[in-house]
Amino acid sequence: MKNGHEAEKKELFQKVRDVLRDRYWNKLVFGARNTLSKDKVSRPVHDVFEYVYSAWESDLDKRSETAYSGSVFLYSVLKGTGRRFTSDVTEANELHEVGKELASFVWEKLEKSSSGKDVRNGDGTLAEIWYQFSEYLWEEFKSVKFRRMEEEK
Amino acid sequence: MSRVNIIRKQMSGIKKICLFVLLMLSLSVFFLPVINADESSIEDEWLNDPHNHPDDIRVIYIKAYQFGFDPEIIEVNKGDRVIFRIISEDVTHGFFIDGYTPSPVDQKIVIEPGKIIEIGPITFDKPGKFKIRCSVTCGPLHPFMVGDIKVNPNFTYYSYLVGTLFVGMLTLVYVRRGPENKMLGISLEKEIDLLRVRGIGPILKRILQWRGFHFAVLWPSLLIFAVVIVAGFVGNPVGNKNFSIAVVWILWFALVEFMILLAGRTWCTVCPLPAIGEWIARRRLCGVHNVRKWFALKLKWPKRLNNMWLGALLFLTMSLIIPWLVTRPVVSGLLFVVLIAVGTILYITHPPRNFCRSVCPAGAYIGHDSNASIYSVRARDKSICDKHKAKECIRGSPEGYGCPWKLYPGGHDENTYCGQCYECLKSCPLDNMTVKIRMIGKDLAHMAAKAKNKFDEAWMGFIRFTLGVFYILVFFGPYSWIRDWGNMGVNFGANLASIGLLTPGVEGVVNWFKWAIMVAGVALVAYPAVFYTFSWFSKKVAKTDQPTKHIFLAFSYALIPYIVFIWAAFAVAILLVFWAYPITAFSDPFGWGWNLLGFKFKWDPFIPQSLPYVLASLSIIGMALAINSTYNIARKMLGGHDKAFRATSVMALLHILVAIAFVWVVAG
Ligand code: SF4
Ligand SMILES: [Cu+2]
């Protein structure tokens, strides 16, 4: 059980990383004036966590809200890259799909916990996952960026 | 009511006096204070014209009464010089002939009871049909106190008759050549992406995609609506002096007709009725919820009501009481309060726009008719929608709500239920929704092909179509008895105080039922029956084995452009004759003599003599569009050109006949 869960988590982490790398990080503007923070790098994931948490807390419908979270993910990416729309339907589909998966993952975690509060700040499951996630994405981002800078040289 | 001409000819003076004395004696018991000797002598004096007019002058005796003229229809010959000798039977009236008497602002002709007014001589040098109108507010139906004067030979009428036949035939000749997917020579495939038009496009796009847009247009309309309701209850009981009547039943009613043609359901964009409910349910005025929790019960809308029937029947019901509705501010005020209450409550119990889709009578007809509009909200590129999985236009996104009309905007191919809220323009992350301008009637053929059991839409069409013709006859025709029937008697509920106090009487109620049966009978039974018969014939002539029912329902969609043009004709008539009322109402909303904006206009019809031409021309355009639409529908339904053409020629006969009837009503 524990291992299954870990595997699932790892797979999801990678999926999110891939889509962020292809659709988000490479469109973020590097430069002196844009300080890139951990926060910005994992922003879309953060937004989905936030949204799912409040939707779950408000007793909304899981199916429709996790689907909606896909759009939250997509729009977070669009906003982060300074866009209002995308003209690429594949991009929209991909981001939505991954966002949705992420959201169901989070939702299920919430369902398993007894009350929202402890998940969020207390004993840690969700807070912990979020922490791991952002650390992971930050590391990945740095390596991607590093690789890119190498290539550019 | 005495029919003057007959009496004048047939009764000798003595007989008349004897009879009159007898009558007086018997009646005086009841009406002692009302009738006095003066009036009878006035009538005598009126008929015994003392002047010795020159031979070439004709004297015409007219009696004005609430709400008409006796005789209803006057015929003169071109070149006649006429003196009108007029008295009033009841209250003070006015007298105005389209195109012949001076503007009532410069020189108002007033007919007081007990006085004889002589007008003229007027030389009738322009042939045609002209309206005699009352120019002094004389009671609830005053605005529709109309008589006809025909200056023979009525060339206008004859030439429009010929014109109707000619255009009808021409359209048939045109479709005989088998134009595919075209409407009167213009391709139905051509569309203009309005939001990509240079200059205006990007500006419009920004406005429509701006989240504040809806709120920005709603609050002014809500404000106007509030004034409408308040004016309805506390304002001047005389309809044409009251904001609620002047702005809703003249300005709104007319503008909506043009709006339908040019901008589809734009009314629904700014409609205040569901707005409050929508704000409450969304818990937002402009923005999108950060958590999608609604303040609403989210009950399921009954499937049986998920169509146009309720709206259509409410529209018909409103039409049955239209003579009160458009002349009694209180009745209008009450109606609007009920509508906004129901609109608000239903949004909270059954969100989102089920009220607009299935209940609102205005929504029903505007939605139905807007299928003949040149305006449409559509996906820019349908293939993108096909590939797109998330479909935020249905579900909503952080930038916009999912379609509140329960549609899939990406797949739109008709206007019926698209309320033009532009949420899809905001919610689509691919910027794939836009406004497309196209030729009238683009969607009718595929709508008709899908119409297998949509009786609601067909009957909405019949109701709209017959009422359009009927209204022109009732409100701008010479027959005052029809108006009286609908009105439940002359002065029933004439003002605020008498609502409920004054009963219409048995006769009034019986008459109203006659009127209701007549109107509803024509709209719901007679015209559909005729239409069915023609559909059956066209099936025979086309030699197709499609069931008559399908052909009948499908061909009813061809009426939509016709309807829009007939109602546009009605709208033109209202605006040209009554334009002064709504403008003045903004300056003096309650009819209390205010002058807020510093202007006031008196009733002064604007080139009313042009009405027969304008109205007849509009109906001819409608007819041509209907014939061509029938062909497009038939072509899609029956397959080949040959069958389609044969079916069309039968239906064209009906459309031409109706157009001729219309030309008779307005010009004959
Ligand atoms: S309109 Fe936009 S959101 Fe709707 S299906 Fe088409 S592309 Fe997707
Ligand atoms: Cu009058």
Side-chain angles (χ1 to χ4, degrees):
Chain A
M1 183 68 217
K2 181 91 188 154
N3 279 342
H5 163 76
E6 282 302 321
E8 187 198 343
K9 194 170 83 182
K10 196 165 170 217
E11 201 184 313
L12 181 71
F13 274 29
Q14 278 166 2
K15 229 186 230 172
V16 172
R17 179 208 53 201
D18 288 350
V19 78
L20 287 183
R21 184 191 56 214
D22 298 348
R23 303 282 180 197
Y24 182 54
W25 295 343
N26 60 355
K27 292 197 183 80
L28 289 171
V29 194
F30 302 105
R33 291 168 81 201
N34 261 6
T35 44
L36 279 158
S37 61
K38 218 191 266 186
D39 204 27
K40 176 128 189 173
V41 164
S42 51
R43 183 94 219 166
V45 178
H46 174 262
D47 286 351
V48 169
F49 269 64
E50 279 292 308
Y51 184 77
V52 173
Y53 180 77
S54 40
W56 174 81
E57 198 183 38
S58 313
D59 253 340
L60 299 183
D61 172 53
K62 178 183 170 187
R63 243 187 63 148
S64 92
E65 294 317 302
T66 47
Y68 179 75
S69 303
S71 310
V72 171
F73 190 70
L74 162 66
Y75 272 83
S76 189
V77 167
L78 290 178
K79 210 169 155 201
T81 51
R83 291 176 290 168
R84 166 74 174 81
F85 303 104
T86 167
S87 50
D88 180 352
V89 62
T90 324
E91 179 185 29
N93 282 343
E94 261 181 47
L95 284 166
H96 184 270
E97 194 53 43
V98 173
K100 192 167 125 188
E101 254 175 68
L102 175 62
S104 344
F105 175 80
V106 177
W107 194 288
E108 271 151 29
K109 286 272 130 10
L110 286 165
E111 271 178 339
K112 278 186 198 135
S113 74
S114 50
S115 81
K117 284 274 175 293
D118 55 316
V119 204
R120 211 177 189 198
N121 337 305
D123 75 356
T125 23
L126 197 62
E128 177 108 6
I129 293 170
W130 163 240
Y131 179 75
Q132 288 171 6
F133 221 140
S134 60
E135 284 301 316
Y136 170 74
L137 290 176
W138 182 237
E139 291 306 320
E140 291 293 309
F141 171 74
K142 280 195 294 196
S143 78
V144 172
K145 186 179 149 196
F146 184 71
R147 220 179 303 141
R148 175 113 53 101
M149 281 153 93
E150 288 288 284
E151 276 164 21
E152 270 165 20
K153 270 181 201 166
Chain B
M1 196 167 309
S2 61
R3 289 292 175 261
V4 181
N5 289 329
I6 304 165
I7 294 175
R8 193 177 68 225
K9 277 181 197 136
Q10 294 180 346
M11 282 193 170
S12 74
I14 295 171
K15 253 195 210 161
K16 199 161 66 183
I17 289 168
C18 290
L19 220 141
F20 199 79
V21 168
L22 262 173
L23 226 114
M24 281 291 298
L25 279 175
S26 53
L27 286 182
S28 57
V29 185
F30 301 100
F31 294 109
L32 261 179
V34 182
I35 293 181
N36 51 44
D38 257 28
E39 252 177 54
S40 62
S41 59
I42 268 297
E43 205 147 313
D44 285 340
E45 201 187 320
W46 168 56
L47 291 178
N48 296 323
D49 179 13
H51 312 293
N52 283 321
H53 298 296
D55 281 351
D56 67 328
I57 290 216
R58 247 183 90 182
V59 180
I60 292 180
Y61 298 79
I62 296 183
K63 208 186 234 185
Y65 58 91
Q66 285 172 317
F67 298 94
F69 296 96
D70 182 13
E72 289 167 335
I73 300 167
I74 296 167
E75 300 210 25
V76 299
N77 292 319
K78 184 170 183 259
D80 277 2
R81 297 179 69 211
V82 174
I83 284 185
F84 293 98
R85 236 173 118 73
I86 317 168
I87 59 163
S88 160
E89 195 175 72
D90 33 48
V91 297
T92 304
H93 292 283
F95 189 83
F96 172 80
I97 305 178
D98 287 358
Y100 276 108
T101 54
S103 150
V105 174
D106 303 336
Q107 196 183 327
K108 194 167 202 154
I109 301 164
V110 178
I111 310 150
E112 287 170 39
K115 284 195 186 147
I116 297 161
I117 302 293
E118 271 202 3
I119 295 153
I122 295 175
T123 308
F124 284 92
D125 47 2
K126 296 162 274 187
K129 180 158 91 169
F130 301 86
K131 295 282 168 194
I132 301 176
R133 300 174 200 272
C134 175
S135 54
V136 172
T137 305
C138 59
L141 258 58
H142 151 71
F144 312 113
M145 179 169 162
V146 170
D148 276 355
I149 181 156
K150 287 182 200 165
V151 184
N152 292 329
N154 191 345
F155 289 126
T156 321
Y157 177 46
Y158 304 137
S159 46
Y160 269 95
L161 279 186
V162 174
T164 308
L165 272 172
F166 180 72
V167 174
M169 290 302 152
L170 204 67
T171 317
L172 269 178
V173 169
Y174 169 68
V175 296
R176 180 81 194 95
R177 289 166 42 201
E180 216 170 331
N181 232 334
K182 279 191 180 157
M183 181 65 94
L184 303 182
I186 298 170
S187 164
L188 290 175
E189 261 135 50
K190 237 192 247 146
E191 285 178 307
I192 301 167
D193 186 337
L194 189 61
L195 304 188
R196 292 224 168 132
V197 169
R198 273 169 54 139
I200 177 101
I203 302 170
L204 213 62
K205 177 168 178 292
R206 281 191 64 171
I207 294 174
L208 296 181
Q209 286 177 342
W210 170 49
R211 276 241 58 95
F213 166 70
H214 211 179
F215 181 73
V217 294
L218 272 175
W219 73 262
S221 82
L222 208 62
L223 200 76
I224 293 178
F225 197 70
V227 179
V228 162
I229 289 180
V230 175
F233 287 104
V234 306
N236 195 320
V238 176
N240 44 286
K241 292 200 174 132
N242 192 304
F243 193 81
S244 72
I245 300 290
V247 168
V248 177
W249 298 121
I250 297 172
L251 194 62
W252 177 86
F253 209 54
L255 289 187
V256 158
E257 297 307 329
F258 304 122
M259 223 187 250
I260 289 173
L261 183 63
L262 300 174
R265 285 191 85 149
T266 290
W267 167 252
C268 299
T269 310
V270 303
C271 175
L273 298 179
I276 299 174
E278 191 159 77
W279 293 335
I280 296 176
R282 287 176 174 173
R283 303 183 297 136
R284 288 288 183 282
L285 289 180
C286 317
V288 181
H289 30 47
N290 32 24
V291 178
R292 305 202 307 158
K293 196 171 171 82
W294 291 59
F295 186 84
L297 289 177
K298 293 211 172 184
L299 302 179
K300 229 180 130 110
W301 188 248
K303 218 176 156 205
R304 285 246 225 93
L305 293 180
N306 204 5
N307 51 46
M308 215 182 261
W309 274 120
L310 193 56
L313 294 178
L314 283 175
F315 175 74
L316 181 65
T317 313
M318 270 175 54
S319 309
L320 296 182
I321 57 164
I322 201 88
W324 315 337
L325 218 46
V326 301
T327 53
R328 274 69 155 191
V330 179
V331 183
S332 277
L334 272 172
L335 174 78
F336 302 141
V337 169
V338 170
L339 280 177
I340 199 163
V342 176
T344 307
I345 293 167
L346 275 187
Y347 210 111
I348 295 169
T349 56
H350 295 78
R353 294 208 174 218
N354 283 308
F355 169 78
C356 306
R357 279 182 59 108
S358 314
V359 183
C360 178
Y365 83 76
I366 296 174
H368 172 266
D369 293 4
S370 68
N371 285 304
S373 180
I374 60 166
Y375 192 94
S376 61
V377 177
R378 294 288 186 272
R380 189 168 274 137
D381 177 353
K382 283 225 162 84
S383 70
I384 290 185
C385 295
D386 292 342
K387 281 185 233 136
H388 185 209
K389 292 205 201 101
K391 305 222 187 314
E392 274 87 351
C393 57
I394 301 176
R395 191 180 309 262
S397 79
E399 295 288 344
Y401 292 88
C403 180
W405 295 73
K406 307 194 289 189
L407 300 169
Y408 163 38
H412 264 181
D413 59 0
E414 58 178 80
N415 279 358
T416 318
Y417 293 109
C418 170
Q420 293 175 204
C421 61
Y422 304 105
E423 284 301 334
C424 53
L425 265 76
K426 302 174 179 95
S427 62
C428 172
L430 290 153
D431 196 15
N432 196 31
M433 291 301 298
T434 187
V435 174
K436 285 185 177 171
I437 304 295
R438 75 279 172 75
M439 179 55 183
I440 297 169
K442 176 179 168 68
D443 297 329
L444 299 177
H446 60 247
M447 284 175 71
K450 285 188 302 190
K452 299 229 149 56
N453 271 309
K454 288 191 183 164
F455 287 93
D456 57 335
E457 293 182 8
W459 253 263
M460 182 81 243
F462 297 135
I463 293 172
R464 279 287 283 169
F465 187 69
T466 46
L467 281 177
V469 181
F470 211 74
Y471 272 16
I472 290 181
L473 191 68
V474 171
F475 290 117
F476 295 107
Y479 311 109
S480 64
W481 57 269
I482 309 186
R483 289 190 282 270
D484 284 345
W485 280 9
N487 193 33
M488 272 205 191
V490 170
N491 270 325
F492 166 56
N495 56 49
L496 195 58
S498 58
I499 281 260
L501 296 177
L502 227 163
T503 49
V506 179
E507 198 199 353
V509 175
V510 170
N511 280 344
W512 183 80
F513 271 102
K514 284 192 215 158
W515 142 278
I517 290 167
M518 178 170 73
V519 177
V522 173
L524 297 178
V525 185
Y527 184 65
V530 172
F531 204 90
Y532 189 88
T533 314
F534 273 85
S535 305
W536 180 80
F537 269 116
S538 69
K539 173 195 153 92
K540 292 284 163 225
V541 172
K543 298 202 185 76
T544 162
D545 32 70
Q546 293 256 12
T548 315
K549 187 182 95 178
H550 288 178
I551 293 180
F552 163 70
L553 290 180
F555 282 175
S556 74
Y557 285 80
L559 283 174
I560 298 177
Y562 208 163
I563 291 169
V564 170
F565 275 84
I566 293 276
W567 279 87
F570 184 61
V572 171
I574 299 181
L575 284 184
L576 289 196
V577 177
F578 301 127
W579 63 269
Y581 294 151
I583 296 180
T584 306
F586 278 94
S587 211
D588 181 14
F590 303 111
W592 290 342
W594 294 0
N595 196 349
L596 296 177
L597 305 177
F599 55 71
K600 272 190 171 187
F601 293 94
K602 292 216 171 76
W603 179 78
D604 185 11
F606 179 69
I607 45 171
Q609 62 272 33
S610 68
L611 284 174
Y613 304 91
V614 179
L615 269 52
S617 306
L618 285 170
S619 92
I620 291 176
I621 298 173
M623 172 196 72
L625 290 167
I627 294 174
N628 199 338
S629 300
T630 308
Y631 175 76
N632 292 344
I633 293 168
R635 179 113 190 206
K636 181 133 193 158
M637 277 196 77
L638 309 178
H641 158 73
D642 192 51
K643 281 183 177 177
F645 175 73
R646 275 188 278 155
T648 306
S649 56
V650 176
M651 295 311 290
L653 190 63
L654 174 63
H655 294 317
I656 293 172
L657 284 176
V658 174
I660 285 175
F662 189 86
V663 167
W664 171 76
V665 169
V666 298

